[in-house]
Amino acid sequence: MDGACDSRIGWLPGHVVTDLFASAVVVDHDRPLADRMRPANLDEFFGQRHLLEDGKPLLLAIEQGRAHSMVFWGPPGTGKTTLARMIAATTDSHFIALSAVMAGVKDIRAAVAEAEQHRQMSNRSTVLFLDEVHRFNKSQQDAFLPYVEDGTLTFIGATTENPSFELNNALLSRARVYVLKTLQTDELVDILQRALRDTERGFSGEYSISAESIKLIAMAADGDARRSLNLLELAADLADDGQISDETVKEVASGNRRRFDKQGEYFYDQISALHKSIRGTDPDAALYWLMRMLDGGCDPLYIARRLIRVASEDIGNADPRSLQMTLNAWEAMERLGSPEGELAIAHAVVYLACAPKSNAVYTATKAAMQDARELGSLEVPMHLRNAPTKLMKDLGYGEQYRYAHNEEDAHASGETYFPEDMSPVKYYHPVPRGLEIRIREKLEEIERRNQKSSTEK
């Protein structure tokens, strides 16, 4: 096989790689193209260069036939199942594949019994591949841990969700996590071209298609190899006399094609990118992430609510108009809907990104909350208590309270407002940006007056 293509990680010079599935001589052409074109060896595998370079643990496991328990974490169509099959083949292990969507504890017990039978009869180890492992609850995940411990099973899980949140610590401690990355467009183009010319499993040159259309399919697949082959197969089904026209490909590739899991890792990664772009005063990047989320189907009202958080957490009193801007954008979205409301949200995103930044109030609230929790229920000073009844007045409630509006500049210099058993603490430190410059100057002046008042007493 030609190793000149730089984007093909499968071609590793100096490595002799045999066909891992040579026993499967007959190819069933009724099977989907994506299944027929599943890589049979590293020569045919695309992507994941960071895992399959010389000396990397995953490559060594495949080359040396030494399997260990692992979890593949990555988007759909990046090769998780294929790598599991390769590992089983190179280690001459019995391979059992389960999907957590359909399987339960009963299926795990059956797999364990099957693995024990193979170990006793042929002394072969078993690789248990569990797809969508994050869908198993804690008790289901715990069910196969003893058999991983005693060597009955080598566990390989696949997930599109963050294992840190979805998998038990006990399972994570026994398996190495490998992060698989989205395939690049040029890698998907290579996969499509191989399918078009493959004489055994692909189309054997039966179809002609322009380079522009191949690239369009690759872009529409959005990093998913399986999706790219499914789109190619659909276009081939609609071809006229072996000619896959550009118009056919445009029709097949049309529609929403972006990955966006409204409850998953990818969703929270994107909202984090939007928030941090605004915090970093980059309106262009902020607009990009906003459009990515809207294009992926995110509820605009969710974004509007998050912008309110951004306005308070990252801008605060440096520009109090930011909070009103986000509230207006939220109201516009509720009243007008799309696309007018979305433009108002974009308006707010750009304003927030360009506004002066201050997290002084956010930091102050966290520090004050920590003291409130740690110092217990300190008494309210008597002069700060309300005295609505005669008894309360007789007990001294409200005595010696100084009404600020009756003082010079509406400030009672030297007055204290913290509990008597607590030393005054400075939580709020205005930053030298935006309106907080003026706020800082005012608070510094008040501090000078308080200090002067205390020295005069």
Side-chain angles (χ1 to χ4, degrees), residues 7-10 45-50 52 78 181 183 187:
S7 65
R8 177 173 298 181
I9 180 58
F45 195 83
F46 293 81
Q48 315 316 324
R49 181 180 295 274
H50 62 293
L52 296 173
T78 51
K181 298 180 180 180
L183 273 68
E187 293 169 337

Side-chain angles (χ1 to χ4, degrees), residues 170-181:
L171 180 57
L172 284 177
S173 68
R174 292 164 173 80
R176 178 161 184 164
V177 176
Y178 294 102
V179 181
L180 277 69
K181 298 180 180 180

Side-chain angles (χ1 to χ4, degrees), residues 77-241:
T78 51
K80 298 186 289 294
T81 303
T82 297
L83 285 174
R85 290 182 178 276
M86 285 185 183
I87 291 169
T90 56
T91 57
D92 192 29
S93 299
H94 178 56
F95 185 78
I96 300 176
L98 296 176
S99 171
V101 177
M102 305 293 294
V105 174
K106 180 180 178 181
D107 300 284
I108 295 175
R109 289 173 180 163
V112 169
E114 186 176 335
E116 290 176 337
Q117 182 180 20
H118 275 271
R119 185 165 65 172
Q120 293 171 3
M121 296 183 63
S122 59
N123 199 29
R124 292 182 69 197
S125 59
T126 295
V127 169
L128 172 63
F129 175 69
L130 184 59
D131 199 13
E132 305 287 342
V133 61
H134 60 275
R135 294 182 179 269
F136 264 13
N137 59 34
K138 183 180 186 301
S139 62
Q140 289 173 313
Q141 292 181 29
D142 287 343
F144 50 78
L145 288 180
Y147 308 103
V148 174
E149 285 282 353
D150 67 14
T152 302
L153 297 171
T154 297
F155 169 75
I156 300 180
T159 178
T160 57
E161 302 295 332
N162 191 329
S164 300
F165 304 133
E166 303 295 338
L167 301 187
N168 296 348
N169 288 333
L171 180 57
L172 284 177
S173 68
R174 292 164 173 80
R176 178 161 184 164
V177 176
Y178 294 102
V179 181
L180 277 69
K181 298 180 180 180
T182 300
L183 273 68
Q184 300 300 308
T185 298
D186 58 348
E187 293 169 337
L188 293 177
V189 167
D190 288 341
I191 290 172
L192 294 170
Q193 290 176 337
R194 182 168 64 86
L196 286 165
R197 63 174 180 263
D198 191 292
T199 57
E200 294 183 3
R201 296 174 291 167
F203 289 134
S204 306
E206 300 171 13
Y207 296 94
S208 61
I209 181 174
S210 68
E212 292 76 12
S213 286
I214 292 177
K215 186 173 182 180
L216 180 58
I217 291 176
M219 293 175 64
D222 198 28
D224 186 331
R226 180 168 49 249
R227 189 174 185 181
S228 71
L229 291 169
N230 288 341
L231 290 173
L232 176 61
E233 187 170 31
L234 178 58
D237 289 342
L238 299 174
D240 184 18
D241 292 331

Side-chain angles (χ1 to χ4, degrees), residues 13-29:
H15 295 292
V16 178
V17 185
T18 58
D19 187 345
L20 303 180
F21 307 115
S23 58
V25 178
V26 179
V27 177
D28 182 3
H29 284 270

